[in-house]
Amino acid sequence: MADKAVPHFHNQDGVPRVRVGAREFMCIGALPPFDHPHVFLDMGHGGDEIICQYCSTLFGYDARLKPDGAEPAASIWRDDAPQARVAAE
């Protein structure tokens, strides 16, 4: 699988805030098959927070994280994740 150009994050666990290492990313809400439309979120150059208009997750920028990193780490979504394979079957 090729890496995504834009990181994808979710909030399956319902945490109050997801810290991410990118200011531009996709939110998918929950894990498939219960995800919402995958929406592009952009905090801008100086922004440090943004709220997803679908799931109301608060995302906060954290420069200590890699661009595809998140805290909690469980909020990172990859196509090859086990939950994605199970949902596709």
Side-chain angles (χ1 to χ4, degrees):
M1 176 187 98
D3 288 332
K4 290 181 175 61
V6 177
H8 288 56
F9 303 108
H10 66 83
N11 191 7
Q12 178 72 28
D13 296 332
V15 297
R17 182 176 188 209
V18 177
R19 295 180 355 189
V20 295
R23 285 194 166 99
E24 298 177 355
F25 57 92
M26 301 288 284
C27 177
I28 71 167
L31 293 174
F34 303 108
D35 49 336
H36 63 53
H38 299 194
V39 294
F40 183 77
L41 300 176
D42 185 350
M43 294 182 200
H45 294 292
D48 289 334
E49 293 185 335
I50 194 165
I51 296 174
C52 176
Q53 67 268 31
Y54 280 94
C55 64
S56 299
T57 296
L58 172 63
F59 291 95
Y61 175 70
D62 187 336
R64 297 174 297 158
L65 297 170
K66 292 182 179 181
D68 62 349
E71 286 185 12
S75 294
I76 301 167
W77 185 71
R78 294 182 177 88
D79 286 334
D80 61 350
Q83 67 272 6
R85 287 196 301 270
V86 170
E89 294 177 354

